[in-house]
Every structure is written in structure tokens, then in C-alpha cells.
Amino acid sequence: MVSVLKLRAKLLGFATGGMGIVVLDDSIAKRLGVHPLDRVKIKYNGKEVLAIVNVAKKLSSNKIDEVALYDEVVKALDVKEGDIVEVEPVEPPKSIAYIRSKLREERLGPEEIREIIKDIVRGALNEVEIAALVTTLHHQGLSIEEAYYFTLAMVETGERLRLNKKPILDKHSLGGIPGDKTTILIVPIIASLGYIIPKTSSRAITSPAGTADRFEVLAPVDLSVEEMEEVVEKAGGCIVWGGALRLAPADDIIIRVEYPLAIDPFFIPSIMAKKAAVGSTHVVIDIPVGRDAKVSTLAQGERLAKDFIELGSRLGMHVEVALTSGDQPIGYAVGPALEAREALKTISGDGPGDLVNKATRLAGLLLGMVGNKNGEAIAREALRLGKAEKKLREIIEAQGGDPKVRPEDIPIGEYTEVIKAKRKGRVLYINNRAIAQIARAAGAPRDKGAGILLRVKLGDVVDEGDPLMEIYAEKGYKLELALKLAEELMPIIVGKRHEIMVLKHIPAVPRPGLPELER
Amino acid sequence: MVSVLKLRAKLLGFATGGMGIVVLDDSIAKRLGVHPLDRVKIKYNGKEVLAIVNVAKKLSSNKIDEVALYDEVVKALDVKEGDIVEVEPVEPPKSIAYIRSKLREERLGPEEIREIIKDIVRGALNEVEIAALVTTLHHQGLSIEEAYYFTLAMVETGERLRLNKKPILDKHSLGGIPGDKTTILIVPIIASLGYIIPKTSSRAITSPAGTADRFEVLAPVDLSVEEMEEVVEKAGGCIVWGGALRLAPADDIIIRVEYPLAIDPFFIPSIMAKKAAVGSTHVVIDIPVGRDAKVSTLAQGERLAKDFIELGSRLGMHVEVALTSGDQPIGYAVGPALEAREALKTISGDGPGDLVNKATRLAGLLLGMVGNKNGEAIAREALRLGKAEKKLREIIEAQGGDPKVRPEDIPIGEYTEVIKAKRKGRVLYINNRAIAQIARAAGAPRDKGAGILLRVKLGDVVDEGDPLMEIYAEKGYKLELALKLAEELMPIIVGKRHEIMVLKHIPAVPRPGLPELER
């Protein structure tokens, strides 16, 4: 093993978009004594940068010793094709030892947690190490202290919103319910009453629309922290995409690993870190409860609520939780443009009862937390008097949208088809997951105009042939895909009460025994 | 999202050496609806191959939609720079669902295990998924059934040695003890008595020499399965490097992830799969027990022994275990060439007692397992009569080495320095880990002639200034490094009995409290 090698830089011409990576030939990696995913220091012209090692076979067809560089490394060093750079193995960061001790089921202290999060953010931990951390925390759980220190570390390693105002109100929904455009009502209601509510939202990952996707139909959501501060200074509230703000950026990196594994031990710290990063002092957390929601029982929701409240209290944040009905979509519209239309209609006084109820109840809770009695009534009044609509249009304008936009101005998919009831009866069951899948098949969230407009809600009585829902798509073939899926999934079940008892049948899968090894 | 894209192939010109990878531009990944580490199918000219997605920013500087291909993909498709290939997202393999269910602490059945191992071998699981599997199994442990089915699946997905003979004897050491050249004695002893012993060995990862490194000084070890079969047909035994044989190749992939995490839940299945793959029927497992060994107590060793024996019995393999003394290096030599010299001397009758004892006891156990009474005496006799030496030279010749090699023919490092006792007394403690680190600093295993020759063993009485050990290096600066480390680590402790009670002092680390977030 050698302590340093001089290698010819080969520029790959693209970036990882995350951590800095260099590719070393197998033989050179052996000479340096480094393994794939180890770290090296790359030095050039007085500059140096840390990078993760990828090992390749036959990197150089000629006899010259090369190192291939991703753009992140090229930019950090300002190096050109053919320049000679120095590559030096470095000790693994201390945080790996901390991850290993967590693997041995030891507890992590504040300093260990801080180091781990710092190293995740600066790209010093590779995906295998982050996956091991996430998996071990999934099994062992986070103590309240660990959750607290992870939250702190996530905030400290990211951008912060500096509003110098108090109180700062905020809300967050655990999501999972299609058509939940409640935020587009709550933010202007709260801001219209003179309170600050700097809301960051996410885009859809597996759903037909995130709040950022919905609101993007009305105004740009891709703001910088400075622009966000400006909008909030001006309008008191905003609805922006949180993804590019680098508030708690550790979370964005961790999620890339969690997503394929479908586990999320940082669930609560991630949410709370984003709230702490914008300086929130009063937060209402909406936990939808329902058969197809993320939380399926009230008991489960209550346990989760306690964790949010306790972590909030450690962070000096007043947190309250609402367990909400998650049995069916909120309102009738699912998909960015259809939902933006419905939100606009609702804020101007012409909206579905469940949406109005949810928005005003949650806004009311927030208002109560900052000392208002009858918060819900105040919220309803803000809606009724048009104060909330006026505020919404102010926010739209401040973010760069058209403040005069009318619901009918918003383009929706021109390919549509109505799904009709095949029998008379009562709407007994609406399958949220199936609704989401069908809306996605129709093109949502990428095709903003795609989605579903429900014509019925739970408990409605229908005749055979009555419309149950309408699918919207921007492209004919996507409408076909969505229709096929709707036929298959049967998302809305109509029948007599108590008639349908078996919800799903899991057939036995014949499992062939494995033969012994033949010898 | 689209179902397929035609993209221009950009050849990266190097291979991963493992799974097939393609690099897509961020925007193209979005259009395909794939995320980093997802899988795609690449099609070209009637051929198709599965690859893992890496996502890069600004892959194409021009306007052409490209996909960058690693050599594995290029070769599978026989594609040239600029050819148009089709890229199609594919459903994640079923094995991911099985890993997710293991993350939910469900048990894995035979079919699930088989799918997981198959997908690991065909490169369909990415490192994040494998890391999660390894971590979750580390926490939950493997039931004996799971261990059995993992072993079977590892064997089934790899190469097999087909000797059509019985019994097939084998041995394995858990390792961790420097200087353990026992295998170089056992294999010829057993083979000289007419038994078959097709031994595969590993190279050093963190130690100064693996058996493959040691034996490579005497003969090539980098054989194919066919060559290995030939050698065993001819000589009855062999000592070859197992790393390139693709016996249980799943293990080789899993180890790449386990190594940086320092966890190894597949420990027993990995070992047993390699034994099953060569068709072993009678196996002795050597578990060194000692303060610095992998297993530090007899009780721990006994638990492990039971697991080996039970898994062996399920596989139709007769397994016995020896817990051996792991308190100090075996013999006096540490480092490939020095150890090869010592092994040659020992097999010709002039070797240290502990090495002879260990080799003949373990060989004796194997001989006992196939029906010989007084196995150890038979083994000693094979040594004493020169049968073992004759057989060793046959094996060396069959593998392509020089059968006439003498110990003094083997080149060793020309830079040497003796470490001397600083006081008189008895050798109370030899630190295996420190010995290994110093030998590695001197250049082992890469520099074959580097290493350590002990001049004392535990219990020896020395005067001040007596030699304790000699360091060998092929390069002057490495000798300096090793000397510095020896000074620092003090690997051999000399004193009066019962005098040294504190083995290590762990100082208190002042841990600063984290401040609350300022607001």
C-alpha cells in the first residue's frame, strides 16, 4: 500500500447530483489499499476534496494511471482533462464507528449523532453505511433523546428561515389521503388573521399530487429561502416546495435510501426538523386515520401523537395533533389541476363540506393554540367574509402567480371518461390507494391536468348507471391505461349495508419444498 | 412517465467488476419514472440485459438523449458508441418485497430466500438493499431453517466441484490468529493417507497473510474449478484461492457490503456453503479462542460450535469443532514468505511444537471422523516418516510450483530490525492484533517477504536486551513505519507474573453538551 498516488484526471462529464465520487482502476485501488465505497482525498493545485471510491476494472486502456472524476470533484478542484491530481486514502470518518456501535445496539449520544448527520450532509458516508444506519434504527427505534438530537443535528446542518417574528404557526399532514388540498385553505385563513405561516410542502412521490404540485398550478413554488422570506414578509404566509431549500438536507439524503426499503425511522425527526428550520413555534400535525391511510387505528395515531408532542416540547415548540378521517379522498378532486380548481372554488365559498370542515377545524386548532377562543368559528368567518380568498390571491401574487386566476381558467385534461355504477345501492367503500393508482395511471402528478373527479362520496345513494367518478387525462393512451386499471381495481364499492364482509381474499400460494442438495 | 425510451449509447470504457450499471440523466430518469438504484432493462439488437440505474446531472452537454453504459452492459449487448438502445423501467424484483418483509420482522421461507440469493447473484439487488438485508439479519439473527436455506441457495447459485468421490475431508479456521499456517500441514497429512481434501482458502483482508497468500509463495493458487479438480484427482488435495472460483458467489457480493459495516450475519452459512460447494462430507472447524481472537471465551465458542454442527447435519455433513488456543501467533513466523519457510521446515520435521500439535490434532480429528482410531498418532507418523512432505511437494508440483523448493530458497525482506526486551522477566502477553498491524505496516501481505519473526513465545524468560522479535520488510520506509508502530503498540509484554493487571486504560472523553437551538 502507498500513501499517495499521482494520477491523470479523466473527466466523466457528469455529476452524481449528490456526493462526490471518483472511479479508480482495481489495480490502483489495491495499490492505495482502498476498497469500493472507501473515501479518498483528491488534491490539485492547492485545493482538496473528499470523494467516495468506485472501483472499476480496466479503467485505462493504455498504460497511464488514471482517476475518473464526477463533476462534483471536477468543480471543487477546478481540474481539466489530463491534469495530474494526487489521490490519498483517508481514515474512515468517526461517524462510521458510531454507526457500528449502533449496530451493536449501543445508544448514541449528542456528539455521535451530530457527527453522523454532519458526515451525511458533507457526503462522507456512503449509501451502504446510511442504509445500515436506517435499518438498525428501524429495528431498535429512536429514544426520545436520540430523536431530539437527530432533529437538532438536521436543523444545524441546513438552511434556516430567519423571520425574527413570533409566533410562527405551521401545519403538517402525514398525508396518504388523495385530494387533500386542506393546506391551500389553512395557510390563507391563518395569514388573513395576521399570523405568520411559512409553509413548506412536498411533491408527490407515490401519490397523484403533493401540496407543492397542487399549488404550482396557481403559482411558482420553487423558491429560494430568501424569496420565501420575502413572500412571508409581504403576505404573512406562503406555500413553497421544501425540496430544494436545503432545510434539514440530511433528510433529503436519508430519504433516498429509505424510499426503496419502505422504512422510515427518521419519520418524526424529519418532519420536526423542517418545522424547526423555519422557526415554527406552534404546529398542528394532521394524522389521517383509515383503512388505507398510513395510520389505520386511533390507538396507533394516539401513540404517534404523543411522540410528536413530546419531541416538540423538547424543541420548545407547541405541538398539537388532530387525528382526522382518512376513509376517503378529501373533497371530490384528485390530481394537481382538478384540486387547484376545487381549492379556489372552496375558498370563494363554494366547496365540499368535508374539505371546509377539515380546513376550518385545523385552522381553528392553530388559532386556539395562540390564544383565540372559538378558533374554528374565527376561521369560518375568515372564509365567509372573503378574507381568506383575498389573502390566497395575495400569496399567489407574491409567489409570482396570477392573482386573478379563476377556477375555470385552469386547464384540465381533455380526455375524460365517466365510470358508472353497475348496480344500485349505497357507496360503502372508496379505496384510497386504488384512487391514487388510477389518477397516476392517468398521468398525475406529471400531467397537471390529469386526475379523478369523484361524483360520489361515502354513504351516497346511487342508481345503476349513475356516475361514480370521472377520469381526466392529457393523453389518450393514459386515459386508456387508467380506465383499464379502474376496471381492475374497482375503487368504489356500491352495495347494501353490511352486505360486503370479505374485503380481500388472500389465496394460498403453493410453496414447493426445496430438494436437498444432490451429492 | 413513459414506458420506454430510445437513447444514444455513451460508452464509459470501464467495468464495475460486479453488477451492470447504467447512468441516466436526471431528466431522462424522471421521464422514465425511475429513481437512483432502480432497475431498467436495456435492449439492443435482439439482446437485453438488466442494469441498476445511477442518476447523474447534465449527462449530455448537447441536446442528444444519452445513456452511459458500464462495460458489463456493453459486453452483454455488444453495443458500440452512438448506437441507439432502448431503456425500459422494470418492476422491482420480488426479492425486494421479501427483504421488506424481513424488515417487518417476518420469517423468510425457502422460496423467498432462494429468490433473494438468486437476485443478489444476478446483480438485481443494489447495495442499499443488500445492506438493509445484512443489517436486519444482524439484528434478528438467522433461525436454523433460514441459515439452512441461505446455505442451500448460495450453493445452488454457484459453481460446484464434482469429484464423485467419498468421503471428502475438509477443514476451516475462523482465523484471526497471526501466523496460522496449519492448513499447509493438514492438507498434505490427510492426502498422504489416501483421503481427498480439496481445500479452498482466502487471502488476507485485515491480516498479514491468508492461507492463499502463504501458499502462493510455494505454488500458484489462482486455479479454476477445472484445474482444482485436476490437481485433486492427481494429488488427492490442493490449497487454492477460493475467491475467484465462484463457489457460493453470493457470499462474495454480500461480503463487499458487510466489510465496511463490520457485521457478518451470514458468517456460518457462508463458510458452510463453500464447504458444500466442494462436496465436503467431513469437516473440522477450528475456532481459535483468546483475548484478541474473534471468539474470546470458551462458552461463546461452544455456542458457535453447536450452530456449525447442527447446520452441517442438516446439510448431510459430519462437522466437528475444535476450540483452539488463540492467545499468541502459531509458530514464530508471520507474513507470507516467512510462514511458507516455517511450514516447509515443519513438514520436514524441524518445526515449533505448537504448530505441530495443532496440525496433528486437527488432522487427527478428521481421521477419527472417517473411522481411524488414534488419528493424531497416525498424523504424527505421516509427518515423521516424510509422507506428508512428499505429498506437499506433489501438491506444489500439481499446482504449478517448484516441488524441490527449500526453505532458504524463499526470498524474504532484506530490511530487518530486531526489537529487544527493555527489562528482564517472563513473556506475559503477546498482542495478536498489534503483531498483525506491525506486519502489515512492514508490507505484508502485498510484499510477500515482509513480516515478523518472533524470537519468544508466551512464558519464555528473557534478559534485558534479549531479542523479542525481528521485523522484515522489502522496503526501507516500510521497515521504519513498522518500527514506529512497534514502539507505539508494544506487542510483547515482559514482566513478573501477576504484575500487570491493568490491560488498557480508557480515559474519560469530555463530551460537550449541545446547546438548544437559538431562536
Side-chain angles (χ1 to χ4, degrees):
Chain A
M1 276 171 287
V2 293
S3 51
V4 61
L5 278 180
K6 286 182 200 295
L7 301 172
R8 190 183 166 283
K10 177 191 172 97
L11 273 43
L12 287 172
F14 50 89
T16 65
M19 48 186 116
I21 290 182
V22 297
V23 188
L24 293 174
D25 188 79
D26 200 23
S27 63
I28 290 175
K30 281 212 182 94
R31 272 158 62 196
L32 281 168
V34 297
H35 298 90
L37 302 179
D38 275 355
R39 281 137 283 252
V40 289
K41 200 185 278 175
I42 317 284
K43 294 184 191 171
Y44 175 71
N45 200 16
K47 299 189 188 115
E48 60 176 58
V49 65
L50 203 67
I52 302 272
V53 172
N54 281 2
V55 172
K57 304 256 180 199
K58 288 183 211 129
L59 177 61
S60 317
S61 44
N62 47 33
K63 292 285 164 217
I64 302 160
D65 288 342
E66 285 185 320
V67 54
L69 311 175
Y70 277 73
D71 275 357
E72 280 85 0
V73 177
V74 173
K75 271 181 204 151
L77 298 178
D78 195 18
V79 66
K80 307 230 157 13
E81 178 83 25
D83 285 343
I84 302 300
V85 300
E86 288 189 12
V87 180
E88 185 184 336
V90 293
E91 284 294 302
K94 277 185 293 177
S95 56
I96 293 178
Y98 304 152
I99 292 176
R100 288 182 182 179
S101 51
K102 193 69 195 166
L103 287 171
R104 290 191 304 267
E105 316 208 344
E106 293 165 17
R107 286 192 50 197
L108 294 173
E111 264 319 305
E112 281 94 344
I113 288 173
R114 194 183 222 176
E115 276 298 308
I116 290 172
I117 293 296
K118 261 169 61 186
D119 280 341
I120 288 176
V121 172
R122 72 185 179 109
L125 289 179
N126 63 48
E127 282 170 333
V128 163
E129 288 147 359
I130 299 173
L133 174 70
V134 165
T135 308
T136 196
L137 291 176
H138 165 74
H139 284 299
Q140 298 184 58
L142 288 171
S143 71
I144 180 73
E145 281 79 21
E146 286 172 327
Y148 169 62
Y149 288 114
F150 269 114
T151 309
L152 279 191
M154 284 178 173
V155 176
E156 285 169 355
T157 47
E159 297 282 331
R160 313 269 296 265
L161 203 68
R162 310 271 176 190
L163 292 171
N164 297 319
K165 279 180 188 162
K166 269 188 187 184
I168 294 180
L169 280 55
D170 212 342
K171 61 93 51 179
H172 183 86
S173 172
L174 262 51
I177 310 302
D180 193 350
K181 67 282 294 174
T182 312
T183 295
I184 305 182
L185 302 174
I186 292 179
V187 168
I189 289 172
I190 295 295
S192 76
L193 295 163
Y195 294 102
I196 306 294
I197 181 163
K199 178 78 179 97
T200 63
S201 295
S202 54
R203 293 187 185 279
I205 300 177
T206 57
S207 76
T211 290
D213 302 309
R214 297 171 183 117
F215 198 69
E216 198 171 34
V217 174
L218 302 172
V221 294
D222 211 343
L223 274 58
S224 67
V225 168
E226 293 70 30
E227 288 166 337
M228 181 177 169
E229 279 170 358
E230 238 173 77
V231 170
V232 175
E233 292 290 346
K234 201 180 292 175
C238 68
I239 300 177
V240 306
W241 179 46
L245 291 177
R246 288 188 55 85
L247 305 169
D251 182 52
D252 305 328
I253 298 168
I254 291 168
I255 276 176
R256 284 209 294 261
V257 166
E258 288 177 333
Y259 174 69
L261 303 175
I263 55 177
D264 188 1
F266 289 107
F267 182 51
I268 298 179
S270 299
I271 292 169
M272 296 302 278
K274 306 260 177 195
K275 299 296 154 199
V278 298
S280 306
T281 56
H282 297 76
V283 182
V284 68
I285 306 278
D286 165 24
I287 303 184
V289 179
R291 201 149 50 192
D292 299 316
K294 284 182 193 161
V295 170
S296 51
T297 69
L298 284 174
Q300 209 184 329
E302 280 164 26
R303 278 196 300 274
L304 210 49
K306 275 187 194 151
D307 289 342
F308 272 111
I309 290 165
E310 186 167 349
L311 181 54
S313 129
R314 296 212 176 206
L315 292 162
M317 212 184 274
H318 180 175
V319 173
E320 297 195 8
V321 177
L323 304 180
T324 62
S325 167
D327 284 334
Q328 60 179 335
I330 311 296
Y332 290 86
V334 173
L338 291 164
E339 294 191 46
R341 278 188 173 200
E342 189 173 55
L344 269 188
K345 277 190 196 163
T346 305
I347 209 156
S348 67
D350 176 24
D354 61 340
L355 175 58
V356 172
N357 175 277
K358 182 166 181 177
T360 53
R361 271 291 271 141
L362 294 184
L365 285 178
L366 269 178
L367 293 170
M369 286 160 72
V370 291
N372 298 282
K373 280 177 190 160
N374 304 318
E376 186 179 355
I378 299 172
R380 282 200 176 263
E381 196 68 359
L383 262 188
R384 200 182 58 81
L385 297 175
K387 285 161 73 173
E389 181 179 359
K390 187 163 163 271
K391 179 55 76 179
L392 177 66
R393 294 185 182 282
E394 262 177 67
I395 294 171
I396 290 174
E397 185 168 25
Q399 289 191 206
D402 172 12
K404 300 210 164 71
V405 62
R406 294 168 307 170
E408 58 272 27
D409 296 337
I410 297 169
I412 53 176
E414 56 177 313
Y415 297 87
T416 68
E417 184 88 34
V418 174
I419 309 283
K420 291 175 179 160
K422 293 186 174 159
R423 56 190 297 193
K424 65 179 281 185
R426 200 176 276 273
V427 175
L428 297 181
Y429 178 55
I430 300 183
N431 182 333
N432 281 338
R433 290 192 192 188
I435 293 286
Q437 279 177 272
I438 295 163
R440 284 179 70 91
R446 212 183 150 77
D447 300 346
K448 294 261 192 246
I452 290 171
L453 211 49
L454 296 177
R455 295 294 192 82
V456 293
K457 299 282 299 247
L458 285 180
D460 286 357
V461 172
V462 295
D463 259 335
E464 188 185 328
D466 275 0
L468 295 178
M469 61 188 238
E470 193 167 359
I471 303 178
Y472 287 77
E474 295 184 357
K475 304 218 166 85
Y477 78 93
K478 292 192 184 178
L479 181 65
E480 292 309 316
L481 283 176
L483 279 169
K484 225 184 104 195
L485 200 60
E487 190 64 38
E488 201 180 301
L489 296 177
M490 303 251 285
I492 300 178
I493 292 177
V494 172
K496 290 184 201 150
R497 282 230 177 270
H498 309 301
E499 186 187 4
I500 295 175
M501 295 301 288
V502 174
L503 297 173
K504 191 172 177 185
H505 166 218
I506 294 102
V509 178
R511 182 176 287 169
L514 277 182
E516 267 223 4
L517 283 176
E518 21 96 35
R519 297 202 163 268
Chain B
M1 275 170 289
V2 295
S3 50
V4 60
L5 277 179
K6 287 182 201 293
L7 301 172
R8 188 182 167 284
K10 176 191 174 92
L11 273 43
L12 287 173
F14 49 88
T16 64
M19 50 186 116
I21 291 182
V22 297
V23 188
L24 294 173
D25 189 78
D26 200 25
S27 64
I28 290 174
K30 282 214 181 90
R31 272 157 64 196
L32 282 167
V34 296
H35 298 89
L37 302 179
D38 275 355
R39 282 136 281 253
V40 290
K41 201 185 277 176
I42 316 283
K43 294 185 191 172
Y44 175 71
N45 199 17
K47 300 188 188 113
E48 60 177 59
V49 65
L50 202 68
I52 303 274
V53 172
N54 281 3
V55 172
K57 304 257 179 197
K58 291 185 210 124
L59 179 59
S60 317
S61 44
N62 46 33
K63 292 285 167 218
I64 301 160
D65 288 341
E66 286 185 320
V67 55
L69 311 176
Y70 276 74
D71 274 358
E72 280 84 359
V73 176
V74 173
K75 272 181 202 152
L77 298 178
D78 195 18
V79 66
K80 307 229 160 11
E81 179 82 27
D83 286 343
I84 302 300
V85 300
E86 289 189 11
V87 180
E88 187 184 334
V90 294
E91 285 293 304
K94 274 185 294 178
S95 55
I96 292 178
Y98 304 150
I99 292 175
R100 287 183 181 179
S101 51
K102 193 69 196 168
L103 287 171
R104 290 190 304 269
E105 316 210 343
E106 292 166 20
R107 286 196 44 200
L108 294 173
E111 264 319 304
E112 281 95 343
I113 287 172
R114 194 183 221 175
E115 276 297 308
I116 290 172
I117 293 296
K118 262 170 60 186
D119 281 341
I120 288 175
V121 172
R122 74 186 178 105
L125 290 179
N126 62 47
E127 282 170 332
V128 163
E129 289 146 359
I130 298 172
L133 174 70
V134 165
T135 308
T136 194
L137 291 177
H138 165 73
H139 283 299
Q140 298 183 59
L142 288 170
S143 72
I144 181 74
E145 282 78 21
E146 286 172 328
Y148 170 62
Y149 288 115
F150 269 113
T151 309
L152 279 189
M154 283 178 174
V155 176
E156 285 169 355
T157 47
E159 296 284 330
R160 311 269 293 267
L161 203 69
R162 309 272 178 192
L163 292 170
N164 297 318
K165 279 181 187 160
K166 268 188 189 184
I168 294 180
L169 279 55
D170 212 343
K171 62 92 51 179
H172 182 86
S173 172
L174 262 51
I177 310 302
D180 195 349
K181 66 282 293 173
T182 313
T183 294
I184 304 183
L185 301 175
I186 293 180
V187 168
I189 290 173
I190 296 294
S192 76
L193 295 165
Y195 295 102
I196 307 293
I197 181 162
K199 178 76 180 97
T200 62
S201 294
S202 54
R203 291 186 188 279
I205 300 178
T206 57
S207 75
T211 290
D213 301 309
R214 294 173 185 117
F215 199 69
E216 200 172 30
V217 174
L218 303 172
V221 294
D222 210 343
L223 275 57
S224 68
V225 169
E226 293 70 30
E227 290 165 335
M228 181 177 169
E229 278 169 359
E230 238 172 79
V231 170
V232 176
E233 291 289 347
K234 202 181 293 177
C238 69
I239 300 176
V240 305
W241 180 45
L245 293 176
R246 287 186 58 84
L247 306 168
D251 182 51
D252 306 327
I253 299 167
I254 290 168
I255 277 178
R256 284 210 293 262
V257 166
E258 288 176 333
Y259 175 67
L261 302 175
I263 56 176
D264 188 1
F266 288 109
F267 181 51
I268 297 179
S270 299
I271 292 169
M272 296 302 279
K274 305 260 176 193
K275 299 296 153 198
V278 299
S280 305
T281 57
H282 298 75
V283 181
V284 67
I285 306 276
D286 166 23
I287 304 185
V289 180
R291 201 150 49 191
D292 298 317
K294 284 182 193 161
V295 170
S296 51
T297 68
L298 284 173
Q300 209 183 330
E302 278 164 27
R303 278 196 301 276
L304 209 51
K306 276 189 193 147
D307 289 343
F308 272 110
I309 290 166
E310 185 166 350
L311 181 55
S313 129
R314 295 211 177 204
L315 292 163
M317 210 184 277
H318 180 173
V319 173
E320 297 194 8
V321 176
L323 305 180
T324 61
S325 166
D327 284 333
Q328 60 179 335
I330 311 295
Y332 291 85
V334 174
L338 291 165
E339 294 192 45
R341 278 188 172 199
E342 188 174 55
L344 269 188
K345 275 190 198 164
T346 306
I347 210 157
S348 68
D350 175 24
D354 61 340
L355 174 58
V356 172
N357 175 277
K358 182 165 182 179
T360 52
R361 271 292 271 143
L362 293 183
L365 284 177
L366 269 177
L367 293 169
M369 286 161 71
V370 291
N372 298 282
K373 279 176 191 160
N374 304 319
E376 187 181 355
I378 299 172
R380 282 199 175 260
E381 196 68 0
L383 261 189
R384 199 181 59 84
L385 297 176
K387 286 160 73 173
E389 181 179 357
K390 187 162 164 270
K391 179 55 78 178
L392 177 65
R393 295 185 181 280
E394 263 178 66
I395 294 170
I396 290 174
E397 186 168 26
Q399 288 189 207
D402 171 12
K404 299 210 167 68
V405 63
R406 292 168 309 168
E408 58 273 26
D409 297 338
I410 298 169
I412 53 177
E414 56 178 313
Y415 297 87
T416 68
E417 183 90 32
V418 174
I419 308 283
K420 290 174 181 162
K422 290 183 177 162
R423 57 190 297 193
K424 66 180 279 185
R426 199 177 276 274
V427 176
L428 296 181
Y429 178 53
I430 300 183
N431 183 331
N432 281 338
R433 291 193 193 186
I435 293 287
Q437 278 176 274
I438 295 163
R440 285 179 70 90
R446 211 183 152 76
D447 300 346
K448 294 262 191 243
I452 289 172
L453 210 51
L454 296 177
R455 295 293 191 83
V456 293
K457 300 282 299 247
L458 284 181
D460 287 356
V461 173
V462 294
D463 261 334
E464 189 186 327
D466 276 357
L468 295 178
M469 61 188 240
E470 193 168 0
I471 304 178
Y472 287 77
E474 296 183 357
K475 302 215 167 90
Y477 78 94
K478 292 192 183 176
L479 181 65
E480 292 310 315
L481 283 175
L483 280 170
K484 225 183 104 196
L485 202 59
E487 191 63 38
E488 201 180 303
L489 296 177
M490 302 250 286
I492 301 180
I493 292 178
V494 173
K496 289 185 206 153
R497 281 227 178 273
H498 309 303
E499 187 187 3
I500 295 173
M501 294 301 288
V502 175
L503 297 173
K504 191 175 177 182
H505 166 218
I506 295 103
V509 178
R511 184 174 286 169
L514 277 183
E516 267 224 0
L517 283 176
E518 23 94 36
R519 296 200 164 274

